[in-house]
Amino acid sequence: MNFPPKLVDNAIEEISKLPGIGKKTALRLVLHLLKQDQQTTQNLSESLTRLREQTQYCSTCHIISDTSDCTCKTIKRELNTICVVQDTPDVIAIENTAQYRGLYHVLGGVISPIEGIGPDELNIDTLINRIKDSEPKIEEVILALSPTMEGDTTAFYLTKKLKEFGVKITSIARGIPIGGELEFADEVTLGRSIMTRTNYE
Amino acid sequence: MNFPPKLVDNAIEEISKLPGIGKKTALRLVLHLLKQDQQTTQNLSESLTRLREQTQYCSTCHIISDTSDCTCKTIKRELNTICVVQDTPDVIAIENTAQYRGLYHVLGGVISPIEGIGPDELNIDTLINRIKDSEPKIEEVILALSPTMEGDTTAFYLTKKLKEFGVKITSIARGIPIGGELEFADEVTLGRSIMTRTNYE
C-alpha cells in the first residue's frame, strides 16, 4: 500500500528537518495544513521563500535586515555605544526592554572549543574595524553575552582584544533576577550580586 | 527601530499559525532557516505547496492520496472488510502494525456535541453507500475508534445505523497494553479485559 502518499511523505521529510520537529509533529502539521484552505499553505510557503531570498545580514553589524538601511546606519540611535550579542534573538530581547538606544553587533555565536568554534568563526574582525574606524568614535562596548563558560570565554577574549583601542568595556549586570527569591538563588549568582553591589541612587 | 524586519515578522506570523507553534518557536525556526542554504527553504516551501495543491481525498474512503488510484480501488487488499477510523494518522498507525489487509474508511472526526460535530459532519453517508453497493460484498466493519466518550458515542451510532445491512460489526479489542503492568492498569480497562477475555489458541 502506497501510504502515506509520496507528497505527504515528502512534506513530512522537509518539515522534520527543522529543529525540534519530529516525524509525528510533522505529520500533525501536514494534516492541519490539508484541512485549512489552500491560501494558508500558500501564504506560509511564500513567506518562507521571501524570507530566505530577501533577508540579508548587514555587513557592518550582522543583524538580519530586509533593507540595505540597517539600524547601524540610522542616525536615530546613539552612535557611540555598541552592544555585543551572541545572536539575533538577543537583539530582539534587548530591544523589547526599551532600555537601550545604541548600536548592536552580532557575533554569530560564542567561542566554544567543544563545538569547534574559535574566534575566527565569529564576527570579531568587523567589530574591531567598527571600533577603529567609526565616526563618531565608539566610546563604550557593552558585552551582553550569556553567563555560561562559552559566553565568559568570549567576553574575556574580546576584553583582551579591544583593550588597545582605549574603549570602555562593560558587561550587563549578573545578579538576582527581579522577582527572584533570595533564598532560592544559587551561591555563585548571589556571591556575584554582593561583589558587584550597586549604590542606591 | 524596524526590528525584527518585516520579512521575518511575516514568516513568524505564518509559522505560528500552525498548531503547537508559538512566536518564540517560530522565531527559532526562522533563524534556523536563515542559517541553512537557500535550497533547504526552497525544498520546504515547494513541498508544502505541492502537498496542498496536489493531495486529494479519495471520494470513496476519504483517505489522502496523491493519485486517483486510492487503496480502496486496489485489488491487492481484502475487499470484504472495512476498518472505520477517525482520521488519517490512525490509518498510518494500523498500516504500521502489518496486521490488517482490508480497506479503510476515514470518518474525518467523531461525534462531539461539545465541539458541535454531529453525524452529518462525518463521512457516514459514504460509508453506508459503500456497504450497500460494494462488489464483493462487505462482510465485516471493524470500528477502530479511540476509547473516549466521543469515540464510543460514534461507535454506538454507527452500530445502530449499520445494523440493517446485515454486516458483522466488530471493535478493536480494549485491554491491557502489551508490556503493561497489571497492577498499574485502571479498573475500567482491567474489568473490560476480563469481560472480553479470549481463548488461548
Side-chain angles (χ1 to χ4, degrees):
Chain A
M1 184 184 183
N2 175 21
F3 198 83
K6 268 233 172 66
L7 286 168
V8 174
D9 247 358
N10 194 17
I12 290 176
E13 186 74 30
E14 292 300 331
I15 295 174
S16 61
K17 280 179 189 166
L18 295 170
I21 297 186
K23 300 254 171 187
K24 284 223 165 172
T25 310
L27 172 64
R28 199 159 52 87
L29 298 179
V30 161
L31 294 172
H32 170 84
L33 286 176
L34 286 174
K35 278 186 185 158
Q36 309 300 308
D37 56 14
Q38 207 154 319
Q39 196 57 43
T40 310
T41 309
Q42 208 177 315
N43 289 347
L44 175 61
S45 41
E46 273 171 15
S47 74
L48 293 178
T49 310
R50 267 207 314 273
L51 168 83
R52 190 59 188 86
E53 277 173 4
Q54 293 172 30
T55 303
Q56 298 151 13
Y57 288 90
C58 169
S59 59
T60 310
C61 69
H62 308 282
I63 284 183
I64 42 175
S65 172
D66 50 1
T67 59
S68 53
D69 291 326
C70 176
T71 334
C72 61
K73 289 170 192 110
T74 13
I75 45 161
K76 283 183 194 156
R77 311 282 301 189
E78 291 167 8
L79 300 178
N80 55 1
T81 316
I82 293 180
C83 179
V84 176
V85 296
Q86 178 176 345
D87 226 331
T88 308
D90 305 326
V91 177
I92 298 174
I94 295 174
E95 278 300 293
N96 286 343
T97 68
Q99 294 293 324
Y100 181 67
R101 300 281 304 135
L103 304 175
Y104 289 98
H105 190 88
V106 177
L107 288 180
V110 281
I111 297 173
S112 169
I114 296 172
E115 293 180 37
I117 302 172
D120 295 346
E121 269 79 41
L122 306 179
N123 303 320
I124 293 178
D125 288 350
T126 45
L127 174 62
I128 291 173
N129 287 340
R130 284 178 84 181
I131 293 169
K132 257 193 229 166
D133 305 336
S134 74
E135 191 56 52
K137 196 182 170 327
I138 299 295
E139 277 161 20
E140 182 175 356
V141 173
I142 305 174
L143 302 179
L145 300 168
S146 296
T148 56
M149 203 163 75
E150 289 81 8
D152 285 344
T153 309
T154 311
F156 182 70
Y157 180 88
L158 286 176
T159 315
K160 260 181 57 182
K161 269 274 182 190
L162 302 180
K163 205 182 274 176
E164 59 177 299
F165 303 106
V167 70
K168 183 177 165 192
I169 301 171
T170 56
S171 160
I172 51 167
R174 320 301 197 187
I176 312 295
I178 312 286
E181 299 267 5
L182 219 68
E183 61 172 321
F184 299 124
D186 64 289
E187 297 92 2
V188 184
T189 304
L190 190 53
R192 181 82 165 250
S193 77
I194 294 168
M195 270 165 52
T196 59
R197 63 195 176 276
T198 55
N199 292 322
Y200 270 103
E201 282 171 70
Chain B
M1 185 185 182
N2 176 23
F3 197 83
K6 268 232 172 66
L7 286 169
V8 174
D9 247 358
N10 195 17
I12 290 176
E13 187 73 31
E14 293 300 331
I15 296 175
S16 61
K17 281 179 188 164
L18 295 171
I21 297 186
K23 301 253 171 186
K24 283 225 166 174
T25 310
L27 170 64
R28 201 159 49 90
L29 297 180
V30 162
L31 294 172
H32 169 83
L33 286 176
L34 286 174
K35 278 185 186 161
Q36 308 299 308
D37 56 15
Q38 207 155 317
Q39 196 57 44
T40 309
T41 309
Q42 207 178 318
N43 289 347
L44 174 63
S45 41
E46 274 171 15
S47 73
L48 292 178
T49 311
R50 268 206 313 272
L51 168 84
R52 191 60 190 80
E53 278 173 3
Q54 295 172 28
T55 303
Q56 298 151 15
Y57 289 91
C58 169
S59 57
T60 310
C61 68
H62 307 281
I63 284 183
I64 42 174
S65 172
D66 49 1
T67 59
S68 52
D69 292 325
C70 176
T71 334
C72 61
K73 288 169 192 113
T74 13
I75 45 162
K76 283 184 194 155
R77 310 283 301 190
E78 290 167 10
L79 300 178
N80 55 2
T81 314
I82 292 180
C83 180
V84 176
V85 295
Q86 178 176 345
D87 226 329
T88 309
D90 305 327
V91 176
I92 298 175
I94 295 174
E95 277 300 292
N96 286 342
T97 68
Q99 295 292 323
Y100 181 67
R101 300 282 304 137
L103 304 175
Y104 289 98
H105 190 87
V106 176
L107 288 180
V110 281
I111 297 173
S112 169
I114 296 172
E115 293 180 39
I117 303 174
D120 295 345
E121 269 78 41
L122 306 179
N123 303 320
I124 292 177
D125 289 350
T126 44
L127 175 63
I128 291 173
N129 288 341
R130 284 179 85 181
I131 293 169
K132 258 194 224 162
D133 305 336
S134 74
E135 190 56 53
K137 197 180 168 331
I138 299 294
E139 277 160 20
E140 182 174 355
V141 174
I142 305 175
L143 302 178
L145 301 168
S146 295
T148 56
M149 202 162 75
E150 289 81 9
D152 285 343
T153 309
T154 312
F156 181 72
Y157 181 88
L158 287 176
T159 314
K160 260 181 57 182
K161 269 275 181 187
L162 301 181
K163 205 184 273 174
E164 60 176 298
F165 303 107
V167 69
K168 183 176 165 193
I169 301 170
T170 56
S171 161
I172 52 166
R174 319 300 199 190
I176 311 295
I178 312 285
E181 299 267 5
L182 220 68
E183 62 172 319
F184 299 124
D186 64 290
E187 296 92 0
V188 183
T189 304
L190 190 54
R192 181 81 165 253
S193 78
I194 293 169
M195 271 166 52
T196 59
R197 62 194 175 277
T198 55
N199 293 322
Y200 269 103
E201 281 172 68

